[in-house]
Amino acid sequence: MIKAVMFDTKPYDRESFERALGDSKDISIKYYDTKLSIDTVGLAHGSDAVIVFVNDELGADVIGELYEMGVKLIALRCAGFNNVDVKAAYEKLHILRVPAYSPFAVAEFTMALLLTSVRRIHKAYNRTREFNFSLSGLTGFDLHGRTVGVIGAGKIGRAFINICNGFGMRVLAYDKFPSDGVNAEFVTPEKIYSESDIISLHCPLTDENYHMIDRDSIAAMKDGVIILNTSRGSLIDSEELLAGLLSKKIGAACLDVYEEESDLFFDDRSGHILRDDILARLLSMPNVIVTSHQAFLTDEALSNIADTTIGNIRSFFSGAELENEISYNSSFLRK
Ligand code: NAI
């Protein structure tokens, strides 16, 4: 039997993984609420695989400990792997991920955030519940004919581009490795900044694009630009985002991710004092919508995540071909 331990488990994770395992007895999973970090890595003792999510910490220290205790596999139950020191894992642990579980879930949520913001639906929802049927202050604008700039035209970016095309928007895209068949005009980041009414981030977080939305890029944007981030928080310098909102250079921001999210998101913190002043300030603004890394959360995505992760673990331990492996050096990839 393969022994796996899951960190940062939520009730919906456990439910979807138990459903995916069904009656099969080849994998046993121990579920822990706590995140994986150097303080909790001991919980992986005796396991063959760790199943982890976006805010688990897999730096060189944790990877070294996992290797020492004989863990063979890091099974990411997500697509992004910016929280894993892939170089440190090289020749020690194999890393498998779920490259796509529902690009539509994230793309549709991004459009939901945009529509909510532009048409003030969050405001209207609160008003009518208080029997306030006034429309003052709820004026939005048509998306039809507006220019949207999409940064990262991969699976999610392309799904979002197709939705934007359906709305009759002009779609610009920037991708480091542009591919064919994308229904958008590929341009430079500079052109995205100078011509877009709305900018949506859909690229992975790497060393190279950390804080790509900073003081300079914001200065190069159109006045009143709307920024959407459903990718990774650290693509945006939050302090500069706040400054841009305060100066009204930025018209609105919709954030499903936040650079300091790991100690906050996914849990009920309503009884606590929020110590992150930047986030507190952002949350106080009527033109900022923050959701806590929710874009992926659909039934379809949860089933696909569980099925693919279980499939990845089975393939690894049975010696089958691995489709979803990531490695610092491709020669370490097990074919
Ligand atoms: P993907 O790998 O299909 O597409 C990423 C695209 O970004 C690729 O076309 C790649 O060439 C491009 N790219 C890479 N580096 C770039 C750079 N420096 N500048 C511009 N483009 C660059 O990935 P997918 O599935 O579309 O996911 C995109 C990101 O969405 C993930 O990396 C993850 O951070 C985020 N995500 C967020 C979720 C949420 O719940 N909010 C859920 C799933 C993913």
Side-chain angles (χ1 to χ4, degrees):
M1 170 164 331
I2 304 161
K3 290 187 188 147
V5 58
M6 185 187 291
F7 288 90
D8 201 9
T9 312
K10 301 289 178 248
Y12 48 79
D13 294 315
R14 190 176 184 141
E15 217 173 275
S16 53
F17 272 77
E18 288 299 305
R19 202 179 315 119
L21 283 172
D23 294 330
S24 49
K25 299 270 182 279
D26 58 332
I27 304 177
S28 78
I29 304 180
K30 269 192 194 164
Y31 299 94
Y32 290 108
D33 297 351
T34 182
K35 290 187 185 63
L36 176 59
S37 70
I38 195 64
D39 299 324
T40 60
V41 65
L43 294 169
H45 252 291
S47 303
D48 306 302
V50 290
I51 303 175
V52 293
F53 196 49
V54 293
N55 289 322
D56 287 305
E57 293 169 14
L58 291 119
D61 51 352
V62 170
I63 286 173
E65 294 279 330
L66 291 172
Y67 178 65
E68 288 300 316
M69 59 180 79
V71 172
K72 301 278 181 304
L73 176 65
I74 297 168
L76 288 158
R77 54 184 205 278
C78 54
F81 50 90
N82 53 286
N83 54 331
V84 185
D85 188 333
V86 177
K87 192 174 173 184
Y90 176 58
E91 285 188 328
K92 288 194 172 117
L93 277 90
H94 290 261
I95 310 165
L96 297 177
R97 67 173 180 146
V98 183
Y101 36 89
S102 174
F104 311 109
V106 182
E108 288 170 14
F109 191 84
T110 309
M111 181 49 88
L113 285 175
L114 177 60
L115 285 171
T116 303
S117 174
V118 167
R119 303 308 303 272
R120 317 278 192 264
I121 292 169
H122 54 309
K123 295 270 158 205
Y125 175 78
N126 285 330
R127 275 192 197 181
T128 54
R129 286 166 69 85
E130 300 280 337
F131 310 130
N132 175 353
F133 301 107
S134 156
L135 296 183
S136 300
L138 299 186
T139 309
F141 61 78
D142 290 10
L143 291 180
H144 187 273
R146 294 280 173 159
T147 300
V148 59
V150 177
I151 299 182
K155 290 176 284 297
I156 295 170
R158 285 200 298 271
F160 184 66
I161 286 168
N162 290 339
I163 292 172
C164 291
N165 279 312
F167 274 74
M169 302 174 82
R170 171 182 176 234
V171 189
L172 304 178
Y174 167 70
D175 195 294
K176 206 171 166 214
F177 309 101
S179 50
D180 294 336
V182 179
N183 299 318
E185 182 192 342
F186 276 107
V187 296
T188 59
E190 290 70 31
K191 188 159 170 162
I192 296 251
Y193 299 147
S194 64
E195 295 195 9
S196 302
D197 302 299
I198 296 141
I199 294 176
S200 196
L201 306 178
H202 298 289
C203 53
L205 173 66
T206 62
D207 290 343
E208 185 191 356
N209 62 17
Y210 174 81
H211 282 185
M212 68 181 297
I213 304 300
D214 60 7
R215 184 182 302 199
D216 292 344
S217 52
I218 291 171
M221 291 176 194
K222 281 177 86 167
D223 290 345
V225 63
I226 297 179
I227 297 180
L228 312 173
N229 189 6
T230 55
S231 193
R232 284 293 181 266
S234 295
L235 292 170
I236 299 181
D237 181 335
S238 312
E239 269 189 76
E240 294 301 335
L241 179 78
L242 182 60
L245 285 156
L246 286 169
S247 70
K248 300 204 169 132
K249 172 75 183 176
I250 299 172
C254 301
L255 312 172
D256 186 49
V257 286
Y258 175 64
E259 57 179 328
E260 301 298 334
E261 72 177 46
S262 62
D263 290 335
L264 294 168
F265 282 16
F266 300 109
D267 289 312
D268 181 357
R269 309 267 174 206
S270 54
H272 297 246
I273 290 168
L274 182 58
R275 298 199 179 275
D276 184 324
D277 289 346
I278 294 179
L279 182 60
R281 201 69 206 275
L282 289 170
L283 286 167
S284 75
M285 294 183 163
N287 50 349
V288 173
I289 298 175
V290 176
T291 50
S292 66
H293 211 131
Q294 182 191 336
F296 75 99
L297 196 63
T298 64
D299 289 336
E300 292 80 357
L302 287 174
S303 299
N304 290 337
I305 287 170
D307 290 345
T308 307
T309 306
I310 299 282
N312 281 343
I313 295 172
R314 284 196 176 120
S315 300
F316 180 79
F317 287 102
S318 67
E321 193 175 331
L322 299 173
E323 284 174 16
N324 301 327
E325 179 154 28
I326 40 182
S327 174
Y328 173 65
N329 181 333
S330 53
S331 65
F332 183 57
L333 297 183
R334 246 214 18 224
K335 297 291 176 204

